[in-house]
Amino acid sequence: MNFTDEQRAFAKSVADFCQREAGTRAQRDQLTGNGAELHSEELYRKMAGLGWAGIIVPEEYGGAGAGNVEMCIFLEETMRGGAPMGGVGPTFITAAAYAKYASEELKKEVLTGVTAGDSLAISMSEPEAGSDVGALTCRAEKVDGGWLINGQKTWCSNAHFANSILLIARTDRGGKKHEGLTQFHIPAGTTGLKIQGIDTLGGREVNDLYFTDCFVPDEHVVGEVDNGWNQLMAGLNIERLILGAMQLGVAQRSFDDTLKFITERKQFGRPVGTFQALRHRMADHATEIECAKLLVYSLADKADANPGKIFPREASMVKLKTTETSKAMTIDGMQMMGGYGYATEFDAESLMRGAIISTVYGGTNEIQRDVVGKTFGL
């Protein structure tokens, strides 16, 4: 990739900010309640003050209106810098959907909030509808002046602190399973919505949502009624690119931390990194990370050059490669650090916990392989 001078300067600015504001374990613990939370609103709003939270928001709503390459630079450097901002991925994914499909009134409300540091969530999965999103049953029934929503959602990231949730619900049960889906804007605190956290290996990050006679006015429909599936499919480039850029940053952070440790740690009279077993492992990981980076920025560049075009093969390859690379690097990083990698004193174990789930959310990697295979007519 041939980054411009401006892009390189931007990457350095984000890296410097992360080092200054969250460069030490003590700083990160203070921002997250000793690791209890994965997203620091305080830090995120500081970044918003620099104009970075609205990097992909159109200029008319206070954003920078930047391209996908700049977005990936921001996400990569943020995750590499260890900034506790786990909510940024779902926020950017959801903001892109509002920018494309929401009414002008909703765009002004939601997107100007994003530029100020508001967080968003998107809710698709249900207990019986994970990879098979078309099987969802949470229903929205038309009533006078709006819609009445009933049902359950699950695995919803950000919902416990998001300013609003973009809900995908079934509005018509008469056609094929991918038909009759609609997107709805659900502000935080809406009557009839109950949010219940799910304890996970990575901490508090996802939630169950329960809708009981939850009224949503007509003006909170996002896009076309019954056409939610096509709207979701049109957003796959941005979703998988966002997840890919974030996991690229995680992989690089794990590599950086591991390299520092094995350079300083001595056994048998010399740094452990000089032993062939570890040296070769790090060489392999450096190569895999470089491959992942090229995939990410190649897709970002294509998406910028061809707005509106869907790149299913490239997007699935990005998600597949970056998350597998991140998972492998963080697990190996723990192994190379020995017992210290297992200790909570270091970040290795938390990086590993966060990377493992990345191969599941945003479309499992089995689904990504299936998508890639189908693009070859298989």
Side-chain angles (χ1 to χ4, degrees):
M1 287 295 300
N2 293 317
F3 295 107
T4 65
D5 290 341
E6 290 79 7
Q7 289 168 340
R8 294 181 187 279
F10 177 53
K12 186 177 186 305
S13 295
V14 178
D16 289 346
F17 176 91
C18 293
Q19 179 61 35
R20 183 175 65 252
E21 300 290 338
T24 68
R25 182 59 179 269
Q27 286 175 306
R28 294 192 292 277
D29 283 348
Q30 184 175 2
L31 288 165
T32 62
N34 295 319
E37 297 292 338
L38 301 179
H39 181 81
S40 168
E41 184 174 355
E42 175 188 348
L43 186 64
Y44 193 52
R45 294 213 178 258
K46 277 189 178 181
M47 280 196 163
L50 297 171
W52 296 344
I55 188 167
I56 62 169
V57 173
E59 293 181 6
E60 57 264 41
Y61 306 108
N68 288 300
V69 171
E70 287 76 17
M71 177 194 70
C72 288
I73 290 171
F74 172 69
L75 293 171
E76 178 192 352
E77 292 299 334
T78 299
M79 296 299 107
R80 187 175 190 173
M85 297 195 320
V88 66
T91 296
F92 278 18
I93 291 168
T94 311
Y98 278 96
K100 186 174 290 188
Y101 297 112
S103 65
E104 188 61 28
E105 291 73 18
L106 277 181
K107 286 180 183 179
K108 289 179 181 178
E109 175 187 341
V110 175
L111 296 181
T112 55
V114 169
T115 64
D118 284 357
S119 295
L120 307 178
I122 184 168
S123 182
M124 291 180 277
S125 296
E126 296 179 4
E128 299 299 325
S131 296
D132 186 9
V133 177
L136 61 81
T137 60
C138 180
R139 64 191 185 278
E141 308 251 353
K142 189 70 182 76
V143 295
D144 186 28
W147 302 79
L148 209 57
I149 300 174
N150 285 279
Q152 179 186 353
K153 292 289 186 176
T154 193
W155 308 121
C156 184
S157 301
N158 286 17
H160 53 302
F161 60 84
N163 295 84
S164 64
I165 298 167
L166 183 61
L167 170 72
I168 292 83
R170 183 161 296 284
T171 46
D172 184 5
R173 293 184 287 276
K176 298 178 181 178
K177 69 177 184 178
H178 292 136
E179 299 173 347
L181 303 179
T182 304
Q183 300 185 116
F184 294 93
H185 168 66
I186 312 291
T190 296
T191 301
L193 168 61
K194 177 184 177 183
I195 300 173
Q196 184 172 307
I198 302 172
D199 292 329
T200 72
L201 183 68
R204 176 71 189 278
E205 51 188 329
V206 291
N207 306 268
D208 281 319
L209 309 182
Y210 299 93
F211 293 88
T212 305
D213 291 335
C214 180
F215 177 76
V216 178
D218 284 326
E219 55 267 29
H220 282 191
V221 171
V222 177
E224 298 177 18
V225 172
D226 295 337
N227 197 35
W229 176 259
N230 291 329
Q231 293 168 195
L232 287 173
M233 293 302 101
L236 289 182
N237 282 350
I238 187 74
E239 176 184 1
R240 291 169 184 171
L241 190 56
I242 287 169
L243 299 177
M246 293 178 73
Q247 287 307 308
L248 172 63
V250 171
Q252 292 194 124
R253 177 53 184 257
S254 177
F255 184 92
D256 294 344
D257 287 355
T258 304
L259 180 62
K260 183 177 187 296
F261 182 89
I262 66 175
T263 301
E264 297 174 350
R265 171 70 170 168
K266 292 183 178 180
Q267 290 288 278
F268 307 103
R270 58 178 172 146
V272 297
T274 63
F275 291 103
Q276 188 181 71
L278 272 64
R279 188 168 64 242
H280 284 190
R281 277 187 179 183
M282 292 297 282
D284 286 343
H285 286 301
T287 303
E288 292 300 306
I289 290 170
E290 189 66 18
C291 291
K293 185 165 187 170
L294 289 171
L295 272 176
V296 166
Y297 286 100
S298 173
L299 175 57
D301 192 49
K302 287 180 180 178
D304 282 339
N306 301 274
K309 184 177 179 180
I310 300 176
F311 297 91
R313 179 186 299 171
E314 293 89 339
S316 286
M317 284 180 171
V318 162
K319 202 276 180 179
L320 173 63
K321 182 63 176 178
T322 55
T323 56
E324 293 291 350
T325 298
S326 175
K327 181 174 74 171
M329 178 65 244
T330 57
I331 291 174
D332 248 11
M334 280 191 66
Q335 180 71 20
M336 286 187 274
M337 290 177 66
Y340 292 100
Y342 191 63
T344 57
E345 175 187 354
F346 294 86
D347 291 323
E349 55 84 29
S350 63
L351 288 169
M352 182 274 294
R353 287 187 281 113
I356 284 177
I357 191 59
S358 70
T359 63
V360 175
Y361 60 56
T364 66
N365 282 7
E366 288 75 17
I367 290 291
Q368 306 308 326
R369 292 182 176 98
D370 205 45
V371 171
V372 173
K374 286 180 178 179
T375 67
F376 288 104
L378 301 175

